[in-house]
Amino acid sequence: MEKEYIVEARTGINIKVNEGELIEIIDLAGQQVVDFFALNQINPKEFLSAGVTIDCNESLKVTVGDRLYTNHYKKMFTIIDDDVKEHDLLHPCCRTEMYDFFYKTGENHPSCLSNINESLLETFDIRKEEITPFNIFMYTKILPDGKISVEPPKSKAGDKIVLRAEMDALLAVAACSVSESDCNGGRCTPVKIVIKKPVNERII
Ligand SMILES: [Zn+2]
């Protein structure tokens, strides 16, 4: 059985997934970044870590076959399919202070940090001061001198990435709220998430 969720533009959602389930994240309109964060359902002090993921994969980029890891260096997700192959592990969630720093637009601006924190609070009494998520479809060009440039995402309408959960996890996911830069191609749009049971699950 499949479960489908729409994450409306500039909002967040939380979804519980079990080990073995497949998570499809679909860019409905194209060029929309998805801030993807997760906690271990059993021990919420264990969470998806972009830094540990870079460390374990010895790479700033991940794609099919690579794993996403927790702050405890445990595998949390495996990338099963990837239409776009250009994602970001470097940038923290957008937040009020970031909007003020770059654009002076922070007041009352929706942000991935607040949307993800509100999603977490529906299940756990947890509020993160900073989150560096897996920024799905975010295209950060890394230049030879170490500088970085955020370019419009390469994702087109209907493009998707598929992850397999390697532990029981609470997903906290936001459709990114930035319209001030090329991050989301200059506009904010909804995304779809589909949770599928593993195909080889025994029917009891
Ligand atoms: Zn954002």
Side-chain angles (χ1 to χ4, degrees):
M1 198 176 72
E2 293 185 8
K3 287 187 202 157
E4 284 191 11
Y5 305 85
I6 298 292
V7 188
E8 298 294 347
R10 294 179 155 177
T11 70
I13 194 172
N14 79 72
I15 303 169
K16 282 184 176 165
V17 296
N18 295 320
E19 183 180 345
E21 288 185 323
L22 300 179
I23 305 150
E24 275 189 19
I25 298 122
I26 303 152
D27 186 350
L28 293 174
Q31 298 195 326
Q32 176 61 48
V33 170
V34 184
D35 286 46
F36 181 92
F37 184 64
L39 304 177
N40 179 337
Q41 269 189 43
I42 310 300
N43 172 19
K45 289 183 177 169
E46 183 173 23
F47 54 86
L48 178 64
S49 167
V52 172
T53 297
I54 289 169
D55 193 8
C56 292
N57 288 295
E58 299 182 83
S59 175
L60 295 171
K61 304 269 185 189
V62 288
T63 187
V64 175
D66 291 331
R67 288 185 161 136
L68 309 180
Y69 291 84
T70 72
N71 57 321
H72 293 179
Y73 280 76
K74 297 274 172 37
K75 63 183 181 184
M76 196 173 206
F77 303 101
T78 302
I79 301 176
I80 301 297
D81 199 1
D82 182 3
D83 289 335
V84 179
K85 300 181 179 62
E86 197 65 72
H87 315 285
D88 172 283
L89 288 164
L90 299 174
H91 283 85
C93 283
C94 63
R95 59 190 295 159
T96 302
E97 296 86 346
M98 184 284 287
Y99 287 102
D100 277 337
F101 183 90
F102 286 106
Y103 314 113
K104 306 283 187 281
T105 58
E107 194 176 357
N108 299 321
H109 201 304
S111 74
C112 291
L113 183 64
S114 61
N115 285 334
I116 286 179
N117 270 324
E118 282 167 25
S119 298
L120 294 175
L121 280 169
E122 291 174 15
T123 303
F124 292 115
D125 185 20
I126 284 178
R127 184 172 185 86
K128 309 289 279 184
E129 279 302 310
E130 184 186 316
I131 296 171
T132 301
F134 178 38
N135 292 300
I136 294 170
F137 308 132
M138 184 173 183
Y139 179 19
T140 302
K141 196 182 265 185
I142 301 165
L143 304 171
D145 64 359
K147 287 196 178 300
I148 56 174
S149 170
V150 176
E151 308 279 330
K154 292 182 174 179
S155 52
K156 301 181 297 297
D159 279 349
K160 67 178 188 298
I161 186 170
V162 183
L163 310 177
R164 185 178 64 225
E166 303 294 356
M167 64 171 64
D168 294 349
L170 176 76
L171 312 182
V173 182
C176 183
S177 302
V178 174
S179 60
E180 288 88 342
S181 75
D182 284 339
C183 178
N184 296 304
R187 62 184 187 145
C188 297
T189 55
V191 298
K192 183 156 101 173
I193 299 178
V194 182
I195 308 296
K196 295 180 176 178
K197 299 281 182 203
V199 284
N200 59 355
E201 188 182 48
R202 284 196 201 124
I203 298 166
I204 299 168

